[in-house]
């Protein structure tokens, strides 16, 4: 498997030897041993021993392959999210807060270093996502099954699909924002493809990730974007309406039984995340639209706040 060598070289090139990673070689060895057992069982069946095999469900792999892969991808996603959050917290923090962050983490405050760290993290996320995809395809090929694709679906529901991490979206927006600022082009970045707003980024091995920037509820370009735990993006106000909460209460107040309007996954509101870098990018890209939405939503938020406090006052007074 040539990809194993390429994967190891790329991981070593990121500068840290002990980064959490998907053990391609270990997983490949498990599949190779499984292949030998399947062939042996098939030969015994041909010899009339009465052994029946079902390659759709492999006890060997289900007890070793998937638990190991789950453990490793969880470690990768956890590490990626923590590093991305620390980098973006440093970038968006005030000058005073940056000093405390620097003293605590020793994260270099130079913007060039931040951009380099951002690029490394995006490469780290993409190559591990490719590694998982390839090893699961190999599993399905060997077993003539769709268990590998089913695992990918479970990974999305468990919020460990790294290409749907909101921190990856934020890093991509941060990279575009910084690149445009340093180039001093004076022009807003182009985010529209055939009239639809989207953010595209070239990942490792010529893989291209394209993020649609249209809210699935109002069907307009995202404003004050948030990501639910499942990775789907919405305007903040639209998400509040879908979660049956007011902007005063916030998305965290939504019921755990509320579902994502797109994938119908439950429990995704409590892990909702504001995408500040993407908000900055959209503000620069669509200034007229952004200002129009800001005025409209400001009036609506004030109205909701007024109604909220009126109801609280009435409840307090027993009316």
């Amino acid at each position: 498997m040539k990809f194993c060598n390429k994967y190891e070289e790329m991981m070593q090139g990121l500068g840290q030897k002990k980064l959490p990673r998907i053990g391609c070689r270990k997983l490949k060895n498990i599949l190779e041993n499984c292949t030998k057992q399947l062939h042996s069982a098939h030969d015994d069946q041909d010899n009339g021993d009465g052994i029946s095999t079902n390659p759709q469900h492999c006890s060997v792999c289900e007890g070793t392959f998937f638990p190991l892969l789950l453990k490793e991808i969880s470690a990768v996603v956890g590490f990626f999210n923590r590093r991305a959050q620390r980098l973006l917290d440093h970038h968006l923090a005030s000058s005073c807060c940056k000093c405390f962050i620097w003293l605590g983490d020793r994260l270099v405050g130079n913007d060039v270093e931040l951009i380099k760290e951002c690029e490394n993290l995006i490469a780290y996320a993409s190559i591990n996502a490719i590694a998982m995809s390839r090893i699961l395809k190999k599993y399905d090929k060997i077993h003539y099954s769709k268990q590998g694709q089913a695992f990918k679906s479970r990974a999305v529901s468990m919020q460990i699909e790294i290409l749907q991490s909101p921190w990856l979206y934020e890093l991509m927006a941060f990279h575009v924002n910084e690149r445009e600022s340093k180039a001093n082009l004076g022009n807003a970045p182009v985010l529209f493809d055939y009239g639809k707003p989207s953010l595209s980024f070239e990942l490792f091995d010529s893989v291209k990730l394209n993020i649609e920037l249209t809210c699935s509820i109002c069907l307009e370009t995202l404003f004050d974007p948030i990501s639910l735990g499942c990775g789907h993006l919405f305007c903040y106000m639209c998400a509040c309406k879908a979660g049956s909460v007011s902007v005063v209460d916030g998305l965290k107040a939504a019921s755990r039984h509320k579902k994502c309007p797109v994938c119908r996954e439950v429990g995704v509101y409590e892990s909702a995340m504001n995408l500040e870098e993407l908000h900055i990018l959209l503000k620069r890209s669509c200034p007229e639209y952004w200002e129009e939405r800001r005025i409209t939503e400001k009036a609506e938020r004030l109205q909701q706040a007024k109604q909220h406090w009126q109801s609280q006052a009435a409840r307090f007074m027993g009316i």
Side-chain angles (χ1 to χ4, degrees), residues 63-99:
T64 54
F65 178 85
F66 287 117
L68 178 59
L69 179 57
L70 178 62
K71 179 182 178 181
E72 290 179 340
I73 193 61
S74 297
V76 167
V77 173
F79 171 81
F80 171 78
N81 288 345
R82 289 192 299 272
R83 288 296 294 266
Q85 182 177 10
R86 190 172 65 175
L87 184 151
L88 292 167
D89 284 348
H90 184 278
H91 177 249
L92 294 169
S94 64
S95 299
C96 181
C97 291
K98 283 183 179 180
C99 293

Side-chain angles (χ1 to χ4, degrees), residues 236-252:
Y236 181 79
M237 290 283 290
C238 294
C240 286
K241 291 175 182 177
S244 301
V245 294
S246 70
V247 293
V248 179
D249 295 323
L251 291 172
K252 306 293 183 183

Side-chain angles (χ1 to χ4, degrees), residues 25-50:
R25 297 188 188 281
K26 291 181 182 179
L27 294 167
K28 178 188 174 186
N29 290 336
I30 292 173
L31 292 179
E32 287 180 346
N33 291 332
C34 178
T35 302
K36 293 176 182 178
Q37 292 191 29
L38 285 174
H39 287 167
S40 176
H42 182 69
D43 292 341
D44 290 340
Q45 187 177 15
D46 289 342
N47 291 332
D49 292 345

Side-chain angles (χ1 to χ4, degrees), residues 211-270:
I211 303 171
E212 294 291 334
L213 300 179
T214 300
C215 175
S216 300
I217 297 176
C218 68
L219 302 180
E220 298 286 347
T221 301
L222 292 168
F223 180 83
D224 196 5
I226 63 99
S227 170
L228 298 184
C230 55
H232 289 111
L233 307 182
F234 304 94
C235 303
Y236 181 79
M237 290 283 290
C238 294
C240 286
K241 291 175 182 177
S244 301
V245 294
S246 70
V247 293
V248 179
D249 295 323
L251 291 172
K252 306 293 183 183
S255 169
R256 298 187 64 181
H257 301 292
K258 284 292 181 180
K259 299 178 180 180
C260 168
V262 175
C263 65
R264 313 306 296 169
E265 189 71 30
V266 298
V268 293
Y269 286 88
E270 58 187 359

Side-chain angles (χ1 to χ4, degrees), residues 296-316:
T296 303
E297 294 213 357
K298 181 179 179 180
E300 189 171 353
R301 291 188 185 212
L302 287 173
Q303 181 63 25
Q304 286 194 24
K306 181 180 178 181
Q307 292 175 352
H308 173 81
W309 291 115
Q310 284 178 344
S311 65
Q312 290 295 316
R315 184 180 302 175
F316 178 77

